[in-house]
């Protein structure tokens, strides 16, 4: 793996999978402090290649665009037209910068008005950002709310009046795209199983927040509130990612958002596309 890709946010990236075109649409970047109180991840000795020149872990905020002919699905909606400076007192959250999603959609040949469905892995601000702006951006979209987040309110409920929710597991929201119960840093999270012509991609939300966790599934994410249960789900997810004809999408994975997991030693390793 090119180490420099681990220390920078991702540019737009696209892959073809059967009848689907799948693209990462960047909205911006977020920095995470390498917090180390147990059980937070990771133990940074020997992992310096994952930290940028200010000693921070680089992550992304953005969306996954899935296109099937003229139809377009967006999974998550970035942070929105906002920037938040680093809070020196916060144990792990650094600066967050959004604002790039509309322009990157345009670079990929799509307008916000082309999006007919917006689905969410969960309803944190860095996931529903552009879905809550005024005036509304996704004026034709139906909004799909995760099952365990149906009671959560985005910043502008009026923008989400057309929502479908709560979203049951295995619900097909788009051709070839089904919802998965996929706990991440909290138990009530949703992932997405995307399949076409014998190949599948698992968009796993915050179930994995760094490629390091592919090799070290015992390392919890910085927000993890149920570390024992989420580790069990993380190990199951990694097993699924090592299966043939399976790809993964990790929003937080710096500039290696698309990849495969391959057996490596006693565990697995992330092989970016």
């Amino acid at each position: 793996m090119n180490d420099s890709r681990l220390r920078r946010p991702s540019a737009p990236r696209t892959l073809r999978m059967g009848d689907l075109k799948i693209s990462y649409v960047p909205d911006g970047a977020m920095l995470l402090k390498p917090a180390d109180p147990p059980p937070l991840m990771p133990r940074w000795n020997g992992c310096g290649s994952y930290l940028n020149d200010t000693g921070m872990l680089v992550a992304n905020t953005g969306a996954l665009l899935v296109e099937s002919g003229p139809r377009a699905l967006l999974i998550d909606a970035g942070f929105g037209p906002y920037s938040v400076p680093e809070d020196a007192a916060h144990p792990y959250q650094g600066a967050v910068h959004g604002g790039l999603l509309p322009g990157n959609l345009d670079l990929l040949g799509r307008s916000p008005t082309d999006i007919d469905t917006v689905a969410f892995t969960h309803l944190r601000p860095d996931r529903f950002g552009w879905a809550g702006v005024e005036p509304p951006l996704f004026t034709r979209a139906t909004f799909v709310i995760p099952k365990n987040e149906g009671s959560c309110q985005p910043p502008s409920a009026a923008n989400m009046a057309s929502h479908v929710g709560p979203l049951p597991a295995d619900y097909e929201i788009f051709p070839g795209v089904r919802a998965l119960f996929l706990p991440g840093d909290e138990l009530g999270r949703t992932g997405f199983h995307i399949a076409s012509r014998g190949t599948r991609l698992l968009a796993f939300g915050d179930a994995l927040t760094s490629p390091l966790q592919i090799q070290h599934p015992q390392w919890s994410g910085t927000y993890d509130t149920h570390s024992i249960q989420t580790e069990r789900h993380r190990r199951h997810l990694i097993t699924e990612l090592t299966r043939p004809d399976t790809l993964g999408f990790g929003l937080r994975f710096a500039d290696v958002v698309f990849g495969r997991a391959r057996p490596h030693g006693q565990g697995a390793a992330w092989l970016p596309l």
Side-chain angles (χ1 to χ4, degrees):
M1 186 188 302
N2 180 349
D3 284 353
S4 66
R5 294 180 64 184
L6 301 173
R7 299 189 295 270
R8 68 191 186 207
S10 181
R13 293 192 176 274
T14 297
L15 58 86
R16 295 275 182 176
M17 196 179 77
D19 298 324
L20 301 176
K21 180 182 177 183
I22 304 174
S23 301
Y24 170 58
V25 190
D27 188 41
M30 58 195 310
L31 299 176
L32 301 175
K33 302 173 187 177
D36 200 33
L40 300 182
M41 77 143 207
R43 309 298 182 259
W44 290 100
N45 291 337
C47 301
S49 62
Y50 286 79
L51 303 179
N52 69 5
D53 56 6
T54 65
M56 303 285 271
L57 183 71
V58 177
N60 304 297
T61 179
L64 188 66
L65 174 67
V66 184
E67 299 175 87
S68 177
R71 298 190 59 191
L73 159 74
L74 209 61
I75 296 175
D76 291 325
F79 189 61
Y82 314 111
S83 292
V84 176
E86 178 182 340
D87 179 355
H90 198 284
Y92 47 80
Q93 183 68 64
V96 185
H97 301 283
L100 304 179
L101 187 140
N104 280 320
L105 269 179
D106 184 64
L107 286 175
L108 292 165
R110 288 287 186 174
S111 162
T113 58
D114 294 334
I115 307 301
D116 51 58
T117 304
V118 180
F120 299 94
T121 56
H122 54 285
L123 293 181
R124 277 205 176 124
D126 62 302
R127 300 288 181 156
F128 61 63
W130 286 100
V133 298
E134 295 285 359
L137 187 68
F138 304 110
T139 55
R140 295 182 53 251
T142 296
F143 293 88
V144 179
I145 308 299
K147 178 177 177 60
N148 292 302
E149 304 245 358
S151 62
C152 295
Q153 290 298 317
S156 174
N159 288 356
M160 309 274 291
S162 61
H163 77 267
V164 174
L167 176 65
D170 207 38
Y171 178 81
E172 186 172 61
I173 63 169
F174 190 80
V177 182
R178 294 185 177 274
L180 294 172
F181 172 67
L182 196 59
D185 46 9
E186 294 184 10
L187 295 181
R189 298 293 188 236
T190 298
F192 295 91
H193 179 283
I194 305 169
S196 182
R197 295 187 180 271
T199 300
R200 65 175 180 164
L201 181 143
L202 301 180
F204 44 75
D206 282 350
L208 296 163
T209 56
S210 168
L212 278 166
Q213 290 175 290
I214 302 284
Q215 188 173 354
H216 302 284
Q218 72 275 19
W219 287 350
S220 299
T222 49
Y223 294 98
D224 202 334
T225 57
H226 298 82
S227 57
I228 295 174
Q229 297 97 318
T230 55
E231 180 184 340
R232 182 170 65 250
H233 288 287
R234 202 157 45 241
R235 290 182 183 277
H236 175 73
L237 170 62
I238 293 168
T239 297
E240 290 299 307
L241 288 168
T242 61
R243 297 192 186 281
D245 301 314
T246 299
L247 305 175
F249 170 74
L251 175 64
R252 302 295 190 215
F253 280 23
D255 193 24
V256 291
V257 290
F258 291 116
R260 305 175 186 269
R262 286 290 180 263
H264 178 77
Q266 298 297 313
W270 183 249
L271 301 180
L273 300 182

